[in-house]
């Protein structure tokens, strides 16, 4: 049984990719040194592939993002110089970043809006692919024409067809230069209308007379029109048999053509649990009766996993259960060998580790949940009245989303604390000093609802993971979320419980420093799940409810401490939705219920906020409405008009804070710029429901611009209130 692997993380074992790129940006590394280092990293990956698998792509490496590279290659952006490339990635004129399918990897969105409708990809420059001709083994890698166009923006609907056909011509020319080519088409797994499937057929039929063998990869879900791919001139079809559960049904129904190769994606590229070799071999035996030619591979790109488990000091039992990218390659080999009959290594790989992380108390609480545990007993109108009385906030209350700049000192102290060079007492004093400072700062500026600044949190998910039982965190398990930005997804391996309050110390301290309300700040269960590796031995909704119960308890402790406003962040609420919309119902049901489970025991007087950002909200507005919050703060800088319309269409009655400051842009907007957003919004929302806030946390900003931005924001709120006064109305 042959093996094929792709998508190995480019980050490097010790985050070399991040280090060399950032040092290039800081001009500490020359372009030549950078290029050499990047080539070195690529060589390393190729040799890892070479060590474990029979086939693999070459050309997956990128300086920042593969979608951008494809756009440059196709002549959409003209790049003469590396600095011009990075201008498209970061800074003032950067392209938009958006989540790649239902993952937390963000790609740069190629923008066709500046492009002439007669643009026919005449300026393509395939040097980047051609340079891989010298590799005898690897198969040149390229993002497919359909996925590329489908994920770009600014293409008028009438032009999609001609662009795709024109693109298929240039891809055909490229293919003719090679014997084999690796084409990624994950967008084949979306729910596509018939016209687009017809277009795909037309485009790919263009390869008919080409001698190049096309290895086409789909992943993240199943391909609904698989049968129609059988008639196309594609040599091998890669299918995801882990997340694409329906792929196997299609194969059983339609078989698989003898003249094609099935690349069976059978080891998980999205999660870290070791593959059960026995079960996979049995699966292979089963599909062998439908497909004559099979190669096995990972089910989706491996860059959703850290490089290697080696060197991690996790519990030994846990280590024996997990596999990162390098270990996935090992598994492919193990499966291949076991399939031929040699089970020795495979058996060792799947050694029993015994039950651990089980908590009967937690299981019992889940089992006893009743309908009323998912509902706040008091309705919004009643809550509104009570909260208004207690909070006594002005019209257009001004607030922020939670974090304040995580400056060098904060990061340094945290590192010292982690290394044991700062005692927990000293660290706590440092954090309290910072909280004191930021409370004073917010009071001086004139914000109405304050936050504690989140200085103690490295990351909004990892922080909670470290406080909860049943979740482990890694030392070096980094993955890229975009560019050079990395995070370490925690590992949810057991039943989740809260041994003690997680955030009450800091929030309570912050509240003790001021008479104005301080918001308690929690990360919601969906976001914790989305940015972690989650156990698969119990249903995901159950894990979600377990986390929700911990947060429910935390709210109770907040209330005891006198906290009156609590925000539950769910930035990944949309991201975690399945690729295919037909599977949304099930997901959103438990996602919404998890939120409502957290807040169901909160007092009616406690004002619950939620926060979401950087997603397409129009499609999910119906689900958002089912979440029983009092206030939602939501990003609106990208699609101001649209968001307002969505909420207007559903006759939204609760309170809302549309972000008036895009904190991802590197300058703070002026009052009049922020005002434009509000003026538009006030046509849709009554002013007593309207909050004034930035569109996300300020942790990536620096202090001077934070101060300017927030002063402007408060000035805006004052002007809005003042104008009311001038008009002679009551405030
Ligand atoms: N409270 C978090 C912060 O301000 C929210 C971050 C997010 O939405 N991604 O940083
Ligand atoms: Zn946000």
């Amino acid at each position: 049984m042959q093996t094929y692997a792709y998508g190995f993380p480019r980050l490097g074992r010790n985050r070399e990719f991040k280090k060399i790129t950032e040092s290039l940006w800081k001009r500490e590394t020359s372009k030549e040194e950078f290029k050499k280092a990047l080539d070195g990293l690529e060589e390393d990956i190729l040799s890892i592939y070479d060590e474990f698998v029979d086939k693999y792509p070459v050309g997956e490496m990128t300086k920042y993002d593969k979608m951008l590279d494809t756009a440059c290659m196709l002549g959409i952006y003209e790049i003469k110089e590396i600095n011009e490339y990075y201008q498209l990635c970061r800074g003032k004129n950067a392209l938009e970043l958006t989540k790649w399918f239902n993952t937390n990897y963000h790609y740069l969105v190629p923008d066709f809006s500046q492009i002439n409708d007669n643009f026919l990809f005449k300026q393509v420059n395939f040097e980047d692919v051609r340079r891989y001709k010298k590799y005898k083994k690897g198969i040149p890698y390229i993002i497919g024409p359909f996925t590329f166009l489908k994920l770009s923006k600014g293409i008028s609907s009438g032009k999609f067809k001609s662009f795709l056909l024109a693109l298929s011509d240039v891809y055909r020319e490229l293919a003719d230069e090679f014997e084999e080519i690796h084409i990624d088409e994950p967008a084949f797994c979306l729910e596509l209308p018939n016209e687009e499937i017809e277009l795909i057929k037309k485009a790919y039929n263009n390869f008919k007379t080409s001698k190049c063998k096309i290895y086409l990869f789909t992943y993240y879900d199943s391909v609904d029109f698989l049968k129609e791919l059988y008639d196309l001139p594609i040599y091998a079809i890669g299918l995801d048999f882990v997340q694409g559960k329906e792929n196997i049904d299609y194969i059983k129904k339609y078989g698989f053509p003898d003249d094609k190769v099935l690349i069976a994606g059978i080891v998980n590229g999205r999660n870290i649990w070791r593959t059960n070799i026995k079960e996979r071999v049995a699966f292979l035996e089963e599909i062998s009766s439908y497909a004559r030619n099979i190669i096995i591979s990972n089910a989706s790109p491996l860059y959703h996993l850290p490089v290697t488990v080696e060197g991690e000091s996790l519990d030994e039992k846990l280590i024996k259960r997990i596999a990162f990218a390098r270990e996935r390659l090992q598994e492919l080999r193990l499966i291949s060998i076991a399939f031929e009959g040699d089970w020795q290594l495979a058996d060792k790989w799947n050694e029993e580790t015994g039950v651990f992380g089980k908590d009967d108390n937690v299981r019992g609480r889940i089992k006893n949940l009743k309908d009323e545990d998912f509902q706040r007993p008091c309705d919004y109108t009643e809550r509104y009245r009570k909260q208004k009385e207690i909070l006594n906030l002005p019209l257009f209350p001004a607030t922020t989303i939670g974090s304040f700049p995580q400056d060098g000192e904060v990061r340094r102290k945290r590192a010292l604390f982690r290394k044991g060079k700062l005692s927990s007492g000293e660290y706590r004093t440092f954090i309290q000093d910072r909280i004191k400072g930021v409370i004073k700062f917010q009071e001086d500026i004139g914000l109405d609802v304050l936050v504690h600044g989140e200085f103690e949190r490295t990351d909004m998910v990892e922080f909670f993971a470290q406080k909860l039982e049943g979740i482990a965190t890694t030392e070096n398990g980094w993955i890229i979320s975009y560019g050079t930005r990395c995070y370490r997804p925690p590992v949810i391996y057991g039943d989740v419980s809260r041994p003690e309050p997680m955030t009450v110390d800091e929030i309570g301290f912050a509240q003790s420093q001021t008479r104005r309300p301080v918001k308690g700040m929690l990360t919601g269960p969906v976001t914790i799940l989305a940015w972690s590796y989650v156990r698969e031995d119990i249903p995901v909704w159950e894990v979600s409810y377990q986390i929700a119960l911990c947060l429910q308890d935390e709210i109770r402790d907040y209330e005891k401490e006198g906290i009156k406003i609590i925000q539950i962040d769910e930035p990944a609420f949309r991201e975690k939705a399945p690729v295919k919309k037909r599977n949304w119902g099930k997901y959103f049901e438990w996602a919404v219920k998890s939120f409502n489970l957290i807040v169901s025991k909160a007092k009616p007087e406690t004002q619950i906020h939620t926060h979401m950002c950087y997603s397409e909200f129009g499609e999910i507005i119906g689900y958002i409405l089912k979440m029983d919050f009092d206030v939602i703060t939501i990003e609106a800088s990208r699609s101001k008009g649209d968001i307002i319309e969505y909420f207007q269409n559903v006759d939204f009655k609760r309170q809302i804070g549309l972000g008036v400051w895009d904190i991802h842009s590197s300058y703070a907007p002026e009052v009049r710029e922020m005002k434009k957003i509000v003026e538009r919004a006030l046509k849709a929302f009554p002013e007593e429901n309207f909050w004034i806030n930035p569109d996300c946390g300020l942790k990536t900003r620096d202090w001077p611009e934070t101060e300017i931005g927030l002063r402007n924001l408060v000035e805006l709120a004052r002007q809005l209130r003042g104008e009311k006064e001038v008009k002679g109305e009551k405030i």
Side-chain angles (χ1 to χ4, degrees):
M1 180 69 64
Q2 283 222 315
T3 51
Y4 196 126
Y6 63 95
F8 198 85
R10 61 175 163 272
L11 187 55
R13 227 182 179 153
N14 296 303
R15 286 183 292 159
E16 291 84 351
F17 176 78
K18 180 185 177 72
K19 289 170 192 161
I20 57 169
T21 309
E22 291 178 358
S23 105
L24 174 77
W25 292 341
K26 284 188 237 147
R27 291 168 205 252
E28 287 163 4
T29 296
S30 72
K31 290 174 198 165
E32 292 70 34
E33 282 165 340
F34 169 75
K35 200 177 164 309
K36 224 170 124 199
L38 198 70
D39 287 346
L41 262 179
E42 185 173 28
E43 293 287 347
D44 288 348
I45 294 174
L46 294 177
S47 64
I48 295 173
Y49 279 145
D50 221 32
E51 187 183 340
F52 292 104
V53 296
D54 303 307
K55 286 179 181 293
Y56 51 85
V58 281
E60 295 175 293
M61 188 42 94
T62 170
K63 293 192 287 295
Y64 198 94
D65 175 60
K66 240 15 220 183
M67 277 292 279
L68 174 62
D69 295 355
T70 312
C72 295
M73 208 154 66
L74 297 174
I76 294 170
Y77 301 104
E78 209 184 313
I79 303 291
K80 285 192 257 23
E81 225 259 317
I82 193 162
N83 295 338
E84 291 173 347
Y85 177 88
Y86 285 123
Q87 274 163 18
L88 294 168
C89 304
R90 45 206 296 273
K92 241 187 158 135
N93 298 319
L95 302 182
E96 185 183 307
L97 273 173
T98 289
K99 285 173 186 176
W100 172 251
F101 297 89
N102 63 342
T103 78
N104 191 27
Y105 177 74
H106 301 61
Y107 71 98
L108 287 163
V109 188
D111 186 357
F112 277 69
S113 56
Q114 309 299 327
I115 279 177
N116 189 307
D117 272 0
N118 299 321
F119 182 83
L120 286 172
F121 305 100
K122 288 289 181 225
Q123 299 295 320
V124 293
N125 180 354
F126 282 127
E127 276 321 304
D128 264 358
V129 184
R130 277 192 196 113
R131 74 193 195 100
Y132 292 101
K133 276 190 177 162
K134 64 176 191 286
Y135 285 89
K136 273 186 233 82
K137 256 192 97 176
I139 304 181
Y141 170 94
I142 190 163
I143 294 182
F146 181 75
T147 299
F148 175 72
L149 290 177
K150 189 80 181 161
L151 269 53
S152 293
K153 68 171 193 181
I155 302 176
S156 55
S157 54
K159 288 310 289 181
F160 190 85
K161 178 176 176 182
S162 56
F163 279 155
L164 183 63
L165 296 181
L167 252 192
S168 74
D169 281 340
V170 296
Y171 271 70
R172 155 79 207 250
E173 272 170 43
L174 175 72
D176 281 341
E177 295 184 28
F178 294 92
E179 279 162 34
E180 303 179 312
I181 197 157
H182 173 127
I183 299 184
D184 260 8
E185 286 283 21
F188 282 12
C189 296
L190 298 169
E191 271 173 356
L192 300 175
N194 277 335
E195 308 91 78
E196 287 186 9
I197 296 172
E198 289 308 314
L199 272 183
I200 288 172
K201 290 197 319 205
K202 215 166 177 175
Y204 273 84
N205 263 322
N206 221 346
F207 293 110
K208 202 153 236 164
T209 50
S210 175
K211 290 199 183 69
C212 178
K213 287 180 180 165
I214 294 175
Y215 289 74
L216 181 110
F217 286 79
T218 68
Y219 43 84
Y220 299 140
D221 212 314
S222 52
V223 182
D224 293 335
F225 56 103
L226 179 60
K227 187 169 165 282
E228 294 175 74
L229 290 187
Y230 292 171
D231 302 325
L232 300 180
I234 297 166
Y235 174 74
I237 303 175
L239 297 178
D240 179 338
F241 286 109
V242 173
Q243 290 193 306
K245 299 271 185 249
E246 289 158 301
N247 276 334
I248 185 67
D249 304 336
Y250 295 146
I251 288 201
K252 284 183 180 168
K253 195 159 161 199
Y254 306 119
F256 193 86
D258 284 351
D259 64 342
K260 289 197 180 350
V261 177
L262 171 62
I263 303 185
I266 56 172
V267 306
N268 201 330
R270 301 282 300 272
N271 210 344
I272 57 166
W273 308 106
R274 281 192 186 182
T275 306
N276 180 335
I277 310 283
K278 265 211 176 76
E279 189 272 325
R280 294 279 87 176
V281 168
F283 175 80
L284 277 180
E285 276 159 359
E286 188 188 0
I287 53 172
S288 297
S289 57
Y290 301 93
R292 183 195 291 239
N293 311 304
I294 300 177
I295 297 178
I296 55 170
S297 79
N298 41 302
S300 55
L302 294 171
Y303 56 71
H304 303 295
L305 309 176
V307 176
T308 178
V309 178
E310 230 168 77
E312 285 296 341
S313 50
L314 293 161
D315 184 303
E316 210 180 311
K317 280 184 175 166
L318 187 54
I319 292 264
K320 283 192 174 161
R321 283 191 181 187
I322 64 184
F324 292 169
R326 197 165 192 276
E327 291 75 32
R328 287 291 183 229
L329 303 186
Q330 253 169 296
E331 288 185 335
L332 285 172
R333 231 200 10 219
L334 285 181
I335 296 172
S336 166
I337 300 171
F339 189 79
E340 313 293 339
D342 182 352
W343 283 92
Q344 213 183 344
L345 291 169
D347 287 341
K348 207 160 168 257
W349 185 248
N350 290 136
E351 220 172 38
E352 256 315 313
T353 49
V355 179
F356 66 101
K358 187 159 189 264
D359 185 330
D360 291 329
N361 193 20
V362 174
R363 298 278 174 108
R365 271 184 90 179
I366 299 286
K367 225 174 161 175
N368 287 331
L369 289 175
K370 314 236 164 9
D371 283 351
E372 64 259 30
D373 293 315
F374 295 93
Q375 212 176 355
R376 291 181 84 173
C378 187
D379 74 2
Y380 174 70
T381 324
E382 183 61 15
R383 297 197 308 255
Y384 177 77
R385 208 183 45 72
K386 292 192 170 170
Q387 290 164 16
K388 196 168 178 197
E389 210 167 287
I390 287 183
L391 293 170
N392 196 20
L393 293 170
L395 202 55
F396 301 108
T399 191
T400 63
I401 302 305
S403 57
F404 269 76
Q406 296 248 336
D407 50 53
E409 192 191 18
V410 174
R411 284 198 299 267
R412 267 195 306 279
K413 294 275 187 199
R414 202 185 289 133
L416 287 177
F417 175 53
R418 216 182 313 124
K419 287 186 198 134
K421 290 187 181 149
L422 204 67
S423 73
S424 56
E426 286 166 319
Y427 183 63
R428 185 163 177 263
T429 310
F430 167 72
I431 294 291
Q432 291 195 339
D433 280 346
R434 279 313 194 88
I435 293 177
K436 238 187 238 177
V438 84
I439 291 287
K440 171 121 185 16
F441 180 81
Q442 294 171 85
E443 281 187 332
D444 288 348
I445 283 180
L447 289 153
D448 302 297
V449 171
L450 312 191
V451 296
H452 77 295
E454 299 182 26
F455 300 111
E456 76 287 12
R457 304 185 186 181
T458 37
D459 170 290
M460 62 188 291
V461 168
E462 193 179 57
F463 174 80
F464 285 92
Q466 280 162 349
K467 303 266 175 182
L468 290 164
E469 211 62 65
I471 311 186
T473 50
T474 69
E475 226 147 277
N476 201 30
W478 299 98
I479 63 173
I480 293 180
S481 69
Y482 62 88
T484 60
R485 201 174 170 88
C486 311
Y487 69 108
R488 286 175 298 203
V491 178
I492 307 183
Y493 64 90
D495 292 330
V496 182
S497 63
R498 186 193 74 136
E500 56 184 14
M502 303 179 281
T503 61
V504 180
D505 189 35
E506 290 89 4
I507 305 284
F509 178 77
Q511 186 63 81
S512 74
Q513 301 298 306
T514 179
R515 300 171 70 96
R516 298 183 201 180
V518 171
K519 274 195 273 192
M521 201 54 69
L522 302 172
T523 302
V526 174
T527 300
I528 292 183
L529 292 177
W531 298 347
S532 300
Y533 297 116
V534 186
R535 62 194 292 197
E536 291 172 343
D537 58 331
I538 63 172
V540 62
W541 58 261
E542 193 168 341
V543 186
S544 189
Y545 291 176
Q546 291 183 358
I547 299 171
L549 285 173
C550 298
L551 298 177
Q552 187 189 83
D553 295 345
E554 189 79 359
I555 290 188
R556 193 170 298 131
D557 287 325
Y558 274 155
E559 287 176 338
K560 279 189 211 144
E561 200 64 28
I563 302 302
K564 299 185 178 68
I565 305 184
I566 295 159
Q567 176 175 310
I568 301 158
D569 290 324
E570 280 292 23
F573 193 72
R574 164 70 182 87
E575 163 197 324
K576 188 135 178 77
V579 171
K580 294 193 204 284
K581 289 193 181 164
R582 60 172 178 267
N583 301 323
W584 278 18
K586 227 170 147 184
Y587 158 71
F588 279 112
E589 189 186 333
W590 64 255
V592 168
K593 279 178 81 175
S594 302
F595 186 88
N596 291 343
L597 177 58
I598 305 171
V599 300
S600 62
K601 301 287 179 271
K603 294 188 210 157
E605 293 82 1
T606 302
Q607 187 174 69
I608 301 290
H609 292 220
T610 190
H611 164 72
M612 292 181 193
C613 49
Y614 303 100
S615 304
E616 249 323 306
F617 294 111
E619 329 171 283
I620 64 161
I621 191 100
Y623 300 113
I624 295 180
L625 286 187
K626 292 188 180 159
M627 298 164 73
D628 210 356
F629 52 80
D630 300 298
V631 184
I632 183 165
T633 56
I634 203 161
E635 163 256 334
S637 48
R638 242 196 257 152
S639 48
K640 299 166 191 90
D642 296 349
I643 285 205
I644 295 169
E645 215 172 283
Y646 303 142
F647 279 92
Q648 204 171 11
N649 287 344
V650 294
D651 195 20
F652 185 68
K653 289 273 192 292
R654 287 173 273 166
Q655 297 161 72
I656 187 164
L658 287 181
V660 290
W661 168 10
D662 171 10
I663 59 90
H664 286 89
S665 112
S666 53
Y667 89 111
E670 318 237 336
V671 180
R672 65 182 158 76
E673 293 172 87
M674 298 185 182
K675 204 170 189 174
K676 266 197 218 139
I677 301 180
V678 179
E679 276 164 358
R680 210 139 129 207
L682 285 180
K683 295 195 178 109
F685 306 105
E687 54 198 21
E688 62 271 19
N689 286 354
F690 206 79
W691 286 64
I692 303 293
N693 49 264
D695 65 4
C696 196
L698 297 164
K699 66 169 164 248
T700 56
R701 305 272 50 99
D702 59 26
W703 282 104
E705 63 186 323
T706 295
E707 175 162 359
I708 299 171
L710 291 180
R711 284 199 189 283
N712 290 350
L713 191 137
V714 168
E715 174 58 25
L716 166 72
R718 288 198 178 128
Q719 284 186 16
L720 290 164
R721 291 169 203 154
E723 276 167 20
K724 293 289 304 164
E725 216 165 30
V726 173
K727 279 188 214 150
E729 294 173 42
K730 224 174 52 212
I731 304 173

